[in-house]
Amino acid sequence: MTDWIEFERWPDCKSMERPGIVFEVTNGDQTLLTGCVVPLPLPSDWVVHPLRFRAVPQPRPRHSSPIPEPVDR
């Protein structure tokens, strides 16, 4: 992981893009993992604007549980 960077420098994320790297963006209360998208579309539940970001390794995919079989009616 890298050090936190002030969000005003978000447009610089283009130069930090690498395969297997995503960006962790935080507003102090909430965190978002995203690719470099300028301008960054924020989730609707974010009331406070982002404060900082950093490059982090992309999380490994998780396998979900199998879908249960249908129940006969």
Side-chain angles (χ1 to χ4, degrees), residues 58-72:
Q58 185 173 11
R60 298 181 126 220
R62 296 181 317 165
H63 292 283
S64 62
S65 300
I67 298 174
E69 293 292 325
V71 178
D72 290 335

Side-chain angles (χ1 to χ4, degrees), residues 18-41:
R18 304 281 184 276
I21 297 294
V22 294
F23 295 95
E24 181 179 7
V25 178
T26 184
N27 65 8
D29 296 325
Q30 299 162 295
T31 300
L32 169 70
L33 289 179
T34 183
C36 180
V37 180
V38 179
L40 180 64

Side-chain angles (χ1 to χ4, degrees), residues 5-16 22-25 32-41 50 52-55:
I5 302 167
E6 294 301 316
F7 193 75
E8 291 80 36
R9 295 191 48 212
W10 178 248
D12 298 341
C13 67
K14 291 287 185 193
S15 65
M16 299 177 212
V22 294
F23 295 95
E24 181 179 7
V25 178
L32 169 70
L33 289 179
T34 183
C36 180
V37 180
V38 179
L40 180 64
R52 55 193 180 162
F53 72 99
R54 65 181 174 180

